[in-house]
Amino acid sequence: MQLRTKLVKLVAAALLASTGAAFAQQPGGEQIPGTGYPMAAGRLPHYVLGPNDEIVIQAIDADEIANKPIRITTSGDINLPMVGRIHAAGMTLEGLEAEVTERLTKYFREPHIAINVTQFKSEPVSVFGAVGSPGVIQLEGRKTMIEVLSLAGGLTADAGSRVRITRRREWGAIPQSSAVTEGEYSVAEVNIRSIEDATRPDDNIQILPFDVITVARAELVYVMGEVRKPGAFALNDRRTISTIEALARAEGLGSTAASKDAKIIRPVPGANRIEIAVNVRDVLAGKTKDVMLQPDDILYVPNSYAKGALRRTLESVVQMTTGMIIYR
């Protein structure tokens, strides 16, 4: 009896191993048909199952359930002969294997099973940061990073150029030279501008289930007061912007601007702020050197009728701009 049991275990191990090899080595085959995902992904013990995923169970003894495609229902259940109903959604492959094995012990002394995913239909991807509709979306097939960002509402006006992608290592490393390993994850940053201007189109990589995409917000400068279009303006990849360019983005000075009395309000670590006088009139005339704005600087151009109240106005500008930062 012990010899028979040992032989059964050896045969079971060989069968399950060959099945796993079949999943990993299809002819020309690096992907699961119809998914675009690595064949190795069919065997992800920690993959969390979801509605509409399709699985196949390899079993030595239980012919009633072996090698038959099984679709998880939209409510997250599977119903198997001998095993009964199991709420599979939310379970890992390991967990489902353990549950099915436990239930089969009513019929077999030592059931040997393995479960593989043959179709990934529950494919959540999390998108955070400077996008129109951050949250979780479903891939529903092959999609590139640009397509996923579009599904998330596209980039907002204050989006930066860097996009961070975090991927579970069991799905393989992110195909980027910048990819690094952080614990159980592969992490990489992609410059979205290089994709948009077609200088690095290969950076528009395919997104896989459970990827986390984070779009960083760009650092901002603020132009307030007597300008035609006051507001916040993104630096994108740059660390500084000239006063002239900042005014250009604000569509120029207003008709009542006291241009020679402008100020830059700059936050300073360990202090509230410093104020830097800027004679915008002389800068625009080329009589004095342009002044560079740094992230979170406020360029304030006062009204020529309110010079006596400049200090009080500056306090109001700081409070208003702080409110804009918090709103971000």
Side-chain angles (χ1 to χ4, degrees):
M1 180 62 71
Q2 290 180 346
L3 178 60
R4 181 180 180 279
T5 301
K6 186 174 182 180
L7 288 173
V8 168
K9 288 183 177 180
L10 290 173
V11 171
L15 179 58
L16 295 180
S18 64
T19 302
F23 270 89
Q25 300 176 358
Q26 294 290 331
E30 299 176 351
Q31 298 177 340
I32 297 174
T35 67
Y37 304 142
M39 288 302 293
R43 186 61 209 143
L44 294 170
H46 302 299
Y47 173 73
V48 179
L49 295 160
N52 298 316
D53 280 347
E54 183 183 86
I55 61 174
V56 168
I57 300 174
Q58 282 82 46
I60 300 298
D61 303 303
D63 293 337
E64 294 85 350
I65 62 174
N67 302 313
K68 298 177 177 65
I70 302 162
R71 178 79 63 187
I72 299 175
T73 66
T74 54
S75 60
D77 297 331
I78 57 174
N79 195 2
L80 305 174
M82 299 188 294
V83 174
R85 184 175 298 276
I86 298 175
H87 188 72
M91 299 181 70
T92 64
L93 279 179
E94 266 185 347
L96 183 59
E97 286 175 350
E99 180 66 20
V100 172
T101 299
E102 175 65 25
R103 297 194 184 191
L104 287 177
T105 56
K106 297 179 181 179
Y107 308 97
F108 308 104
R109 177 175 296 178
E110 294 183 1
H112 298 278
I113 71 162
I115 301 176
N116 291 297
V117 180
T118 50
Q119 289 187 14
F120 294 87
K121 294 296 184 179
S122 175
E123 306 168 323
V125 172
S126 300
V127 186
F128 300 112
V131 293
S133 301
V136 178
I137 64 173
Q138 297 291 332
L139 285 179
E140 298 181 358
R142 298 187 62 179
K143 287 186 173 59
T144 63
M145 183 178 67
I146 294 295
E147 290 173 319
V148 170
L149 291 175
S150 297
L151 289 173
L155 303 181
T156 58
D158 63 344
S161 61
R162 308 304 299 180
V163 178
R164 181 182 174 92
I165 303 168
T166 304
R167 176 170 296 170
R168 295 181 179 181
R169 286 180 59 191
E170 59 199 21
W171 288 96
I174 297 173
Q176 289 288 307
S177 59
S178 64
V180 297
T181 298
E182 296 183 3
E184 295 301 315
Y185 298 91
S186 176
V187 180
E189 279 195 352
V190 173
N191 189 323
I192 194 73
R193 310 300 177 204
S194 66
I195 300 173
E196 293 175 342
D197 62 20
T199 57
R200 291 181 60 89
D202 290 344
D203 285 352
N204 188 24
I205 63 173
Q206 182 183 347
I207 299 301
L208 301 182
F210 300 99
D211 280 359
V212 177
I213 302 174
T214 305
V215 181
R217 284 183 167 84
E219 294 183 295
L220 304 177
V221 295
Y222 304 85
V223 184
M224 309 296 292
E226 284 301 301
V227 292
R228 293 177 182 173
K229 185 182 177 182
F233 302 97
L235 291 178
N236 294 324
D237 286 333
R238 302 163 61 180
R239 291 296 304 167
T240 60
I241 184 175
S242 70
T243 297
I244 292 177
E245 184 176 346
L247 287 171
R249 293 195 187 186
E251 299 183 0
L253 297 169
S255 58
T256 60
S259 57
K260 64 187 181 72
D261 296 315
K263 289 185 179 290
I264 294 173
I265 306 169
R266 175 168 295 166
V268 177
N272 289 331
R273 62 183 181 276
I274 60 173
E275 296 174 5
I276 305 169
V278 182
N279 189 327
V280 171
R281 182 175 63 184
D282 286 353
V283 170
L284 293 173
K287 294 180 179 180
T288 187
K289 186 178 179 180
D290 201 351
V291 181
M292 304 303 291
L293 300 177
Q294 299 175 4
D296 296 325
D297 275 359
I298 306 167
L299 173 61
Y300 173 67
V301 182
N303 187 303
S304 59
Y305 300 112
K307 296 178 184 177
L310 180 59
R311 175 64 55 182
R312 185 170 64 255
T313 305
L314 286 174
E315 294 293 342
S316 299
V317 168
V318 172
Q319 292 176 10
M320 181 166 47
T321 310
T322 302
M324 294 174 63
I325 296 172
I326 293 173
Y327 180 74
R328 287 181 64 205

